[in-house]
Amino acid sequence: TDDNERLNYMLDASNVKYQQLNQELSQTKDSLNKQVNALSTENTKLSETVTAYTKQNKVLAGQVDRLETINGDMAEQMEGLNNSVANLSRENGRLSKLNDDLRVIVTFLDETAGSLKDSYEDVVRSIANQISAGRAIWTTTTKNIYRSRTNNMVCDIQSRFSGQPFIVDATLPIGEANYPEVMSYVDEHFLSELCLSRDEFELFLAESVGSEISDTDTLSDIALEDLVKAMMRFNSMVMDYYFPRDTSQVDSNTSLNMTDWSGANYQCENIPREKRFAWPAVTQQPKTTSP
């Protein structure tokens, strides 16, 4: 009948419409699934970033604590240096006054040399003792100043290169990318302060780490802990050469004496190059003076 045909036509049209709607829903579902997957990936990335930031925050917190400690140490060192400067100023004034007194004494002795020969010898002996004592004080003060310049070298390196893998784990190699900058820092803040040669220190460094690293071309493989140990041994040899413990056994070929420091005005850069610390000449053979 006509009614059935119209009903069938309407049902067919509805089925076609439903099929279209089902296709649209399926497409929408696929699109939503893709968006969910993308959001899940981004969420994973964000979680990894948060974890990395949390670790870095812990590292930075540790560095802040270390810097605070270093700052406190530096304040103490500065106070010590200020006291040394004050002591040096007082000693300089005292020696200057002694020099004025010496001029008066010499003038007096010139006028009365005939009758005061014995007294003159006593005065000269006393003055010589005063000069020796003054040189000893200045030499000891110079030693303390040089020692204070290198006391915090390890902390300074850790602070300068904080966060680097070879700082976090001191047994890891410094690496080719960082070695030149690390050695430049060591040269500027350690070697130059003591008038030492970077080339000679690197020769010592290559020898001190043994057979694993035998020449300067592979020194970038050295770990920070080995570099620090080598610096400490090198510094010990330098200080023993510049300021020998037993001054009564001083050998001019293997160490400096108070006269050397006095002649250099207590500055290592004023010491003649042939008398400065050198590796391996100082420790392996007697130093000879150039003609």
Side-chain angles (χ1 to χ4, degrees):
T1 64
D2 293 338
D3 291 339
N4 289 334
E5 290 179 356
R6 284 196 300 273
L7 182 60
N8 287 332
Y9 177 78
M10 291 175 63
L11 289 173
D12 291 338
S14 296
N15 287 332
V16 171
K17 184 65 174 178
Y18 288 147
Q19 289 176 355
Q20 292 176 347
L21 290 174
N22 284 333
Q23 290 177 353
E24 291 177 359
L25 286 173
S26 179
Q27 292 174 354
T28 301
K29 178 183 177 182
D30 292 340
S31 176
L32 288 174
N33 285 334
K34 290 179 181 180
Q35 292 181 18
V36 167
N37 290 335
L39 289 173
S40 177
T41 300
E42 290 299 322
N43 185 61
T44 300
K45 291 180 180 179
L46 287 174
S47 296
E48 292 174 351
T49 301
V50 169
T51 301
Y53 283 159
T54 301
K55 292 180 179 178
Q56 188 62 30
N57 185 61
K58 292 180 179 179
V59 172
L60 291 175
Q63 294 299 328
V64 168
D65 292 339
R66 185 181 294 114
L67 288 174
E68 290 177 349
T69 301
I70 292 172
N71 185 58
D73 292 340
M74 289 182 66
E76 293 179 0
Q77 291 291 334
M78 182 61 68
E79 183 178 355
L81 286 175
N82 289 336
N83 292 335
S84 295
V85 170
N87 291 336
L88 283 173
S89 297
R90 287 193 295 270
E91 184 62 22
N92 185 56
R94 190 180 72 84
L95 291 175
S96 178
K97 185 178 183 303
L98 286 174
N99 190 48
D100 293 338
D101 293 341
L102 177 61
R103 291 193 184 95
V104 174
I105 292 171
V106 169
T107 300
F108 172 76
L109 290 175
D110 285 342
E111 295 173 352
T112 61
S115 59
L116 297 176
K117 181 178 179 180
D118 293 338
S119 297
Y120 178 80
E121 291 176 353
D122 292 339
V123 170
V124 169
R125 188 180 302 110
S126 176
I127 292 172
N129 291 336
Q130 290 284 349
I131 292 174
S132 296
R135 284 178 174 175
I137 292 173
W138 277 88
T139 302
T140 300
T141 302
T142 302
K143 175 182 179 179
N144 292 335
I145 290 174
Y146 281 131
R147 194 179 296 279
S148 69
R149 290 177 179 176
T150 57
N151 275 346
N152 294 323
M153 190 61 208
V154 176
C155 291
D156 291 343
I157 292 176
Q158 291 174 332
S159 176
R160 170 63 180 79
F161 298 97
S162 65
Q164 294 289 346
F166 66 89
I167 295 293
V168 177
D169 184 351
T171 63
L172 294 178
I174 294 175
E176 293 183 3
N178 294 304
Y179 178 80
E181 186 177 358
V182 171
M183 282 308 302
S184 294
Y185 189 84
V186 170
D187 186 20
E188 179 181 356
H189 297 278
F190 171 60
L191 300 175
S192 296
E193 290 286 353
L194 299 175
C195 301
L196 304 175
S197 165
R198 171 175 172 174
D199 291 338
E200 292 177 1
F201 174 68
E202 288 187 305
L203 287 175
F204 172 80
L205 186 60
E207 180 175 315
S208 68
V209 295
S211 59
E212 295 182 3
I213 300 177
S214 58
D215 56 70
T216 55
D217 292 335
T218 57
L219 281 178
S220 59
D221 294 330
I222 194 172
L224 179 65
E225 65 175 6
D226 292 325
L227 173 62
V228 170
K229 291 176 182 177
M231 287 172 59
M232 290 180 175
R233 289 196 297 271
F234 201 67
N235 184 62
S236 178
M237 289 190 299
V238 171
M239 297 303 289
D240 286 343
Y241 174 78
Y242 281 161
F243 309 100
R245 294 181 178 87
D246 187 358
T247 56
S248 63
Q249 301 294 327
V250 169
D251 182 348
S252 61
N253 288 324
T254 59
S255 60
L256 299 183
N257 55 39
M258 290 188 294
T259 302
D260 293 323
W261 281 109
S262 175
N265 199 26
Y266 303 96
Q267 299 289 333
C268 68
E269 56 265 28
N270 295 332
I271 297 173
R273 289 194 175 274
E274 65 272 13
K275 298 203 72 175
R276 295 182 188 177
F277 179 88
W279 172 267
V282 167
T283 57
Q284 296 183 0
Q285 63 187 25
K287 184 186 291 293
T288 57
T289 305
S290 302

